[in-house]
Each structure stands twice: as structure tokens, then as C-alpha cells.
Amino acid sequence: MNTQLKRKDLFSYGLMALPLAFAGLPIYLHAPDFYAGTPGQSLTSLGLLLLALRAVDAIQDPLIGSLSDRYHQHRALILVLGVLMLGGGFWMLFHPHLSAPLTWFAMAVFICTTGFSTVSINLQTLGGIWQVSEHQRTRITSWREALGLLGLLTAAMGPALLGANSDPSTAFHRLTIAYLPLLAVATWALLVWMKTAPLTRPQKAFKPSGESDGETRGHWRALISNPWRSRFFALFALNTLASAIPAVLVLFFIRDRLGAAEYSGLFLLVYFLFGALAMPLWQWLSKHVGKIQAWAVSMALSIITFLWAVFLQDGQVEAYALVCALSGLALGADLALPPSILADHIAAEKSQAEASRMFSLMTLLSKASLALATGLALPLLGLAGYQPGIAMTAELNLTLSLSYAALPCILKTITLVWLLSQANHIAQATTLKA
């Protein structure tokens, strides 16, 4: 299908990514600090609760994917239910019940993140079953992820702008008031778009995994054991882990290695802004050299960038800003290209009946990679004697630099070599079959 996509349709579809991304920072970054201050809860209790809730959030993704595939004919209703949970949980989170704040916090985060996952998985699925050409799929993911990055930037600035000269309760009340209409408008735009969007319907009905039919594609084991998918998801997981390690360590690196804590917000702004601005570049490159090759170029860019970051010294603010810009460019490819490649595979294999499960597996791997990066990088630094905020020695500076930049370089290099060795196989499995 060579129909040129209209920007109006791309915007109507992708707009939902903005409130989705917007919600992430307040839930995991601002909410613990808010509950530690306003209701006066223990940071230890909040941290343990968040850890447990993150585990539940990740584990339930495959279940959400399975249910979304099974009841795909009701996808609009599933999305509405997810939006109601997301919006309701977000409101609850910043309007705590002071008689039982920890219980309220747990309920609010669970409801909010369940709604978030439901909407996110189904939004990605809709992009994956949109009847378009291979190149247009990269445009779809680029628009969606660029709007998501805009949501992150808005969330990063929102509390400070809305909370000027206000106490935290008032600031986050205003944030909620601003968020809910945005979520409602994005939902309306998506539902209107769905009424006329050319979406591919599953050619084979969903069958629960308990059925014994050897041809059952709904079986999770069959889905994962497919050779192309096992390779693709393994590559995606390793690449995501390589990107998650610097994400976990970035604030430590900025404060204790560069001595530039006051520029943290600016560095993150540059990173996400260049990620959004890079989307047209990766669209163009994937069209002219192919998606696999474009993804490989982005990995090479990350390797060169972080190899340079290993040698940065205290006070090199301008150099690190350039590192943020270049790694932001690579971020654009990591966000746009893997979902587009998976969508090509779904179209080639006519696997629309299991599209939600495949995209839910991507979200599960992303969350697992972030958890693994946290569980790997922080203990290793602790064993080396590093503690945030302590006086840095030459050995600690080297350890932090190697953990933040060199370890991701090694993982990215392994991923790049593996990707190039599998390039022909991956490309063949994403070519539409007659």
C-alpha cells in the first residue's frame, strides 16, 4: 500500500503518546517525594512499595497483550477503560487519603500503571496493524515517539511552572487539572481516527493457549519460539539494556564525575529534544538504506559517543552537552525503528491476531532491562566503594566513567555485531509475502 499518510492522521493517532509519556515522570519521580513530604511517609516504605508495584506492572503486560488480542474487536472499549484507569489513578495519586496514605499510594500507582500499560500496548498495536507501506511504518512510529518525547519534556517542566510560589499539594493539584483535559483530548482524537483508519483485521481468530491445536498462534511458547522473533527480541533486549545503564547512572555521573549538578535539567532537555528532532533523519535513512542498516548506524553512533564520554573530566559541561545531543539522536532510532521492524514482520507473517502480545513483550523487555540495569550497575558501583555525594578519588572517577559509558559501549558493540550478522535474515522475515 503506497498511500501517503496525512499529517492529520499521524497526529490524531500519535497524540496519545504525549499524555502517556507525561504521566511517567510524576508517577515514578515526583510521587515518592510528594508522599515523603506532604503525608510524611517513610522513603524506605515508599521505595519497597514502588519496587513491588513495578514488578507487578511488568508481569501483567503479557496478560494485557493476550486479553487485547483475544478481544481485539473491542479495542476501542479496552482503550477507554485503560484511559479511565490512567486518569483516575493519576488523580488519586496526587490527592492522597491522609488516613491511610501508603495504602492509597499503592492503589493509585497500581490503577495508574495498569491503565498506562493497557493504553500503551494497544496504541503500539494500532500502529503495527495500520495498513501502510514499510517506509510509512517508520513515519508512524516516529510521530508517535516524537510526541512521547514532547510529553516527557512537558512533564519535566510542568511541576516547576505550575508550582511557582505554591506548596506541593497545590502544584500537583494544578498538574492534575492540566493533565486530565490533555488525556481526554488525546483519547477523543484516537477514537475518531480509529473509526476510519485502515486497520488490518486478524485473519485467524485468537485461540487461548490452553487449546491443544498445534497451529494455535495464540500460544505464548509458539510465539516466542519463532526463530525470527527470538532473535529480534533478544537483540532488542540487549540493546535496551545497553541504553538503560546510562539512564540509571546519568544523574550520578553529572553530579559526581562532571561536577555539574546545576546543569542536569539542561542536559536532559538537550537529550530528549534531540531525540525528537532526530525522527525525520531516521525516517529518511531507513527509507534509503533500510531499517536494519539505519538501526546499526544509530548503534555505531552510540558507541562512538559513549566511548568519548569515558574520557570526560570534571567541569567539561560543553563536551557533555554534545554527548547528550549525539546520544539523543541515537535515542530517536531506538524508539522509532524496532517497533517499525516488528510491524513489518506482523504484516509479512499476517500475524495481526498476536500483535498485542508481541508489542506487550517489547514493553515487558523494556521494563525488565531498566530493572536489570538498576540491579546490575548500582551494586557494582557500591562494591567499588562509590556512594552518591562522597568525595571522589581518581579510582572512583574511573569506576563511575566505566560503569556509565564503557559498559554500555561493550553491550552496544555486541548488539551491533550480532545485528549485522543477522541483517539478511531479519530483513527477509519482514518482507511482505504474497
Side-chain angles (χ1 to χ4, degrees):
M1 178 174 288
N2 296 317
T3 304
Q4 184 70 19
L5 293 176
K6 297 179 180 178
R7 291 183 179 179
K8 172 179 171 293
D9 291 330
L10 290 165
F11 182 78
S12 297
Y13 161 75
L15 181 61
M16 178 57 77
L18 197 155
L20 279 175
F22 184 100
L25 281 181
I27 294 171
Y28 289 116
L29 184 63
H30 299 304
D33 182 63
F34 175 74
Y35 274 76
T38 302
Q41 299 305 293
S42 161
L43 277 176
T44 301
S45 299
L46 290 168
L48 290 173
L49 263 179
L50 268 181
L51 181 63
L53 289 164
R54 276 179 177 256
V56 172
D57 177 40
I59 292 170
Q60 71 181 353
D61 281 352
L63 175 61
I64 293 171
S66 292
L67 291 174
S68 298
D69 278 335
R70 185 169 190 176
Y71 301 105
H72 64 86
Q73 67 273 27
H74 304 298
R75 200 177 300 277
L77 177 60
I78 293 172
L79 279 164
V80 170
L81 291 174
V83 165
L84 290 174
M85 293 182 73
L86 174 58
F90 196 85
W91 176 272
M92 288 174 61
L93 191 59
F94 294 108
H95 295 82
H97 199 290
L98 295 180
S99 63
L102 277 179
T103 302
W104 189 266
F105 174 81
M107 289 173 55
V109 172
F110 174 74
I111 293 170
C112 198
T113 54
T114 301
F116 179 96
S117 294
T118 301
V119 177
S120 179
I121 289 168
N122 281 276
L123 182 67
Q124 291 186 67
T125 302
L126 288 170
I129 63 175
W130 195 343
Q131 294 182 39
V132 294
S133 66
E134 290 184 14
H135 171 60
Q136 298 294 347
R137 291 192 187 101
T138 306
R139 287 192 70 203
I140 291 169
T141 56
S142 295
W143 271 75
R144 183 182 69 220
E145 300 305 330
L147 286 164
L149 290 172
L150 180 59
L152 275 176
L153 291 172
T154 306
M157 296 183 294
L161 294 176
L162 295 171
N165 303 318
S166 301
D167 62 275
S169 295
T170 301
F172 285 107
H173 172 72
R174 291 173 179 169
L175 185 73
T176 310
I177 294 297
Y179 178 71
L180 293 180
L182 174 63
L183 181 62
V185 170
T187 304
W188 172 80
L190 183 62
L191 293 175
V192 170
W193 170 81
M194 286 177 65
K195 290 180 179 180
T196 58
L199 302 175
T200 304
R201 305 299 174 186
Q203 297 186 4
K204 182 179 287 190
F206 176 93
K207 293 183 180 181
S209 60
E211 294 190 8
S212 59
D213 181 3
E215 297 295 318
T216 297
R217 295 190 130 201
H219 201 298
W220 272 100
R221 186 164 28 177
L223 183 148
I224 299 172
S225 64
N226 176 291
W228 184 93
R229 296 171 193 172
S230 61
R231 290 188 183 95
F232 171 78
F233 286 123
L235 281 164
F236 175 79
L238 187 57
N239 184 63
T240 306
L241 175 62
S243 300
I245 290 172
V248 168
L249 299 180
V250 60
L251 294 181
F252 303 121
F253 184 82
I254 291 171
R255 182 185 61 215
D256 293 331
R257 182 67 190 94
L258 299 179
E262 66 273 22
Y263 295 105
S264 296
L266 179 61
F267 289 144
L268 293 177
L269 175 64
V270 170
Y271 177 67
F272 290 124
L273 183 60
F274 272 78
L277 294 175
M279 295 301 180
L281 167 66
W282 300 116
Q283 288 179 44
W284 178 86
L285 194 62
S286 65
K287 182 178 181 179
H288 287 82
V289 304
K291 297 177 187 179
I292 307 299
Q293 290 74 15
W295 196 16
V297 169
S298 76
M299 291 182 191
L301 176 61
S302 287
I303 293 166
I304 294 170
T305 301
F306 278 97
L307 189 60
W308 177 29
V310 173
F311 301 99
L312 292 182
Q313 302 297 315
D314 186 24
Q316 291 189 296
V317 173
E318 295 84 357
Y320 187 68
L322 185 55
V323 166
C324 292
L326 294 175
S327 58
L329 292 178
L331 169 70
D334 282 341
L335 293 175
L337 294 176
S340 180
I341 294 168
L342 182 58
D344 290 343
H345 172 74
I346 290 170
E349 295 291 324
K350 299 180 172 60
S351 302
Q352 288 79 15
E354 51 196 11
S356 295
R357 272 160 292 168
M358 283 191 269
F359 282 108
S360 72
L361 185 55
M362 287 189 76
T363 62
L364 171 62
L365 291 173
S366 295
K367 293 173 183 177
S369 296
L370 186 60
L372 181 59
T374 304
L376 178 66
L378 295 182
L380 284 176
L381 282 173
L383 289 173
Y386 169 76
Q387 293 295 327
I390 68 171
M392 298 294 287
T393 64
E395 291 78 10
L396 288 178
N397 279 329
L398 178 61
T399 300
L400 186 53
S401 293
L402 292 176
S403 301
Y404 171 77
L407 181 56
C409 277
I410 295 170
L411 294 175
K412 282 276 186 182
T413 301
I414 295 171
T415 310
L416 175 59
V417 172
W418 191 9
L419 176 67
L420 292 175
S421 71
Q422 298 293 323
N424 290 336
H425 176 78
I426 294 175
Q428 289 171 2
T430 56
T431 302
L432 190 62
K433 297 178 180 178

